Amino acid sequence: MRVSARARIVGWMLAVVGLALSVSIFATWTILLTRLDDRMQSERANEVQKLRRYAATALDPQTGRPVTDVQELMTGYLALNLPDRWETFLTIVGGEVDKIPGVPPPVPIDTDHALIARMAAATRVERAEFETAKGTVHYTVIPVTVAGDARPGHFVVAHFYDLHRDEIVDAVRVLGLSALAAMGLAGTAGWFVAGQVLAPVRLVRQTAEQISDSTDLTRRLDVPGDDDVAALAATFNHMLDRLEQAFVVQRHFMDDAGHELRTPITVIRGHLELMGDDPDERADTLALVTDELDRMNRIVDDLLTLAKSEQPGFLALDHVELADLTVSVVAKARALGERRWRVDEVAEARLPADRQRLTQALMQLVANAVRHTTDDDLIAVGSAVRDGRVELWVRDSGPGVAPAERERIFGRFVRGAGRTGSHDGAGLGLAIVRSIAQAHGGTVQVTEAPGGGACFVMSLPLWELWRVS
């Protein structure tokens, strides 16, 4: 059976609170019993001291001389001292019970002749206990003798210990019931508070379940505040934003990729179905099929590059000499066509980057420039450090890019207008350039080149820079 987080939180809270209250109640019970024992002993010792002080100073009210009658001595003491709650005094003269002052005790103790005889036989202060219908009674027997009176006297202080103890039991019982009521209130409040705190978490779960059962990624969580739960909801919303964007891009990408790959497959199938036995016709068909297969291979390679650009490990960082990179790209680009090739500027600096990926991006831009220019046009490559960033650019003197197209042409399977070459690409080259720039933490954009034409600029952050001496 699955137990909810709300129930676990409240359960653990009640367990901790219950343990704390149990320890507290047990400690209170132990302390009160210890204090009761100490108080009983202190009161009995105090009665002994008070009786001795009284006996030492007691005077006969008629003669003004020291008391010479043991019964009169204890009677005078009882007149000055009354027993407390659940306490009783008893005087014994000549082995017989003489007086029980104050309120009658809960249980008569003067009817137990064996007990009275045992008390009357005491020759020194003795402490003992006996059992009654009201529980244990602790008593102290104080022998009393008076000069001039041969009768033995005994003063007894008795405490009904269990009745005192029952008061503590009642107090602890009330404390326990109060603790249970407090735990009930705490559990109710905790259940409500836990529900409020965990409400965003339940909303996250419900939203995730709804998303799992459908393709709707537009739902978002609205959790006000700045606590951890609100941060969780914000993180979940951010994850949904990325997932929604990724799914939209994936859907468009799959639609476009399916369309681009379906075309060469259709062309190949159609020509193969119509291919006859004539050798020249077969040769032409094989040449066309081979060209279409090559184009499909390039599309697949570009798709793999774009897919890898979104995965870790896409870049292999190294220290790239910007001047050497710029010059080497121009040297490689000369084989792409008869153009007026030029190096605009070189940056004398090193940059932590992936040299092969930067070369790939620049060669894509150069190939794009070749497709949009003629033999007499200019294509220039340059690099520079400006405002704390590295800029790599390729510009040409071709027809340029209309302002309305400058952002769209970096999308996947988007082809620009104004091509002069015979090759019709898949429209993935500039998307690859953008992916490489973004993988380096940079951007790419196209502007109008000085004197006309297009200028594609990659701007990369200077994570670390060493000036070449």
Side-chain angles (χ1 to χ4, degrees):
M1 181 178 66
R2 185 173 65 90
V3 180
S4 66
R6 186 181 189 180
R8 289 199 300 270
I9 291 174
V10 175
W12 278 108
M13 182 194 71
L14 291 179
V16 172
V17 173
L19 178 62
L21 290 176
S22 299
V23 172
S24 176
I25 293 173
F26 178 77
T28 302
W29 164 266
T30 304
I31 292 172
L32 290 178
L33 286 181
T34 302
R35 293 182 63 181
L36 174 62
D37 292 339
D38 294 341
R39 182 164 59 86
M40 295 295 100
Q41 294 180 7
S42 177
E43 288 183 0
R44 289 194 294 268
N46 187 45
E47 290 296 336
V48 173
Q49 296 298 326
K50 288 194 300 181
L51 181 58
R52 287 176 177 174
R53 287 195 299 269
Y54 176 80
T57 59
L59 299 176
D60 188 334
Q62 295 180 355
T63 64
R65 296 180 179 181
V67 177
T68 58
D69 186 283
V70 65
Q71 183 179 12
E72 183 180 351
L73 175 68
M74 291 189 293
T75 300
Y77 180 76
L78 290 177
L80 298 176
N81 294 275
L82 294 177
D84 296 329
R85 181 178 175 82
W86 308 132
E87 181 184 41
T88 189
F89 296 153
L90 176 69
T91 60
I92 302 175
V93 178
E96 299 293 334
V97 176
D98 182 39
K99 293 182 182 300
I100 299 178
V103 179
V107 175
I109 62 175
D110 57 335
T111 57
D112 189 342
H113 299 291
L115 176 63
I116 297 300
R118 188 166 65 248
M119 293 178 177
T123 59
R124 56 186 179 84
V125 177
E126 292 183 0
R127 295 180 177 86
E129 61 184 48
F130 62 94
E131 298 296 328
T132 68
K134 296 295 184 178
T136 303
V137 176
H138 295 180
Y139 69 91
T140 300
V141 179
I142 308 170
V144 180
T145 58
V146 176
D149 190 343
R151 294 175 300 172
H154 294 83
F155 187 82
V156 180
V157 180
H159 293 96
F160 287 82
Y161 179 83
D162 282 356
L163 295 181
H164 285 285
R165 184 175 177 273
D166 289 343
E167 291 182 342
I168 296 177
V169 171
D170 291 339
V172 173
R173 182 181 296 112
V174 172
L175 181 61
L177 294 176
S178 301
L180 288 177
M183 285 185 62
L185 292 176
T188 303
W191 184 265
F192 175 76
V193 173
Q196 294 295 317
V197 173
L198 294 176
V201 179
R202 291 197 302 271
L203 185 58
V204 170
R205 177 181 59 81
Q206 293 170 359
T207 304
E209 290 177 351
Q210 292 175 358
I211 292 174
S212 300
D213 297 336
S214 65
T215 58
D216 182 16
L217 295 175
T218 61
R219 292 179 57 86
R220 295 295 182 269
L221 304 178
D222 183 15
V223 181
D226 56 358
D227 55 3
D228 292 338
V229 177
L232 171 64
T235 303
F236 187 77
N237 287 338
H238 181 63
M239 181 190 70
L240 289 180
D241 291 337
R242 297 182 61 185
L243 285 176
E244 182 180 12
Q245 181 181 6
F247 284 172
V248 170
V249 172
Q250 182 186 38
R251 184 165 55 249
H252 293 165
F253 181 72
M254 295 300 296
D255 292 342
D256 294 339
H259 173 73
E260 292 294 329
L261 293 176
R262 191 180 298 112
T263 300
I265 291 175
T266 303
V267 172
I268 292 173
R269 175 179 295 174
H271 282 81
L272 290 178
E273 290 176 351
L274 297 175
M275 185 176 63
D277 295 331
D278 182 67
D280 294 334
E281 182 182 352
R282 293 174 65 89
D284 292 339
T285 301
L286 289 176
L288 185 144
V289 168
T290 301
D291 183 68
E292 289 297 314
L293 290 175
D294 290 340
R295 188 159 74 92
M296 289 180 62
N297 186 63
R298 287 193 298 272
I299 293 175
V300 172
D301 289 341
D302 290 343
L303 291 175
L304 290 176
T305 300
L306 289 172
K308 291 179 181 178
S309 67
E310 300 175 357
Q311 302 297 325
F314 178 63
L315 300 180
L317 297 180
D318 195 4
H319 296 155
V320 178
E321 295 282 354
L322 295 177
D324 180 63
L325 173 68
T326 306
V327 174
S328 65
V329 167
V330 174
K332 295 175 181 178
R334 293 182 183 277
L336 297 179
E338 294 294 333
R339 303 291 188 271
R340 289 186 293 126
W341 298 98
R342 179 185 300 175
V343 176
D344 275 344
E345 182 181 351
V346 294
E348 297 295 334
R350 287 187 295 175
L351 174 72
D354 189 326
R355 180 185 178 90
Q356 293 185 357
R357 294 300 183 188
L358 290 182
T359 301
Q360 180 183 7
L362 290 174
M363 290 300 294
Q364 287 280 6
L365 294 177
V366 168
N368 185 69
V370 169
R371 287 194 294 270
H372 291 82
T373 56
T374 60
D375 292 347
D376 296 331
D377 287 325
L378 170 69
I379 298 178
V381 181
S383 61
V385 177
R386 297 170 182 168
D387 299 327
R389 297 180 69 86
V390 170
E391 291 187 356
L392 302 171
W393 68 85
V394 175
R395 66 181 181 90
D396 61 63
S397 59
V401 180
E405 297 288 318
R406 290 177 182 175
E407 178 64 27
R408 191 182 70 88
I409 59 175
F410 289 101
R412 297 177 179 182
F413 300 106
V414 176
R415 299 177 180 86
R419 295 169 179 258
T420 60
S422 59
H423 176 70
D424 186 18
L428 294 173
L430 294 181
I432 292 175
V433 173
R434 168 174 280 183
S435 297
I436 293 175
Q438 290 176 344
H440 284 85
T443 59
V444 61
Q445 61 179 348
V446 57
T447 61
E448 185 176 354
C455 181
F456 289 83
V457 181
M458 284 197 303
S459 178
L460 309 179
L462 270 177
W463 299 340
E464 191 174 0
L465 180 65
W466 296 270
R467 293 290 178 184
V468 178
S469 58

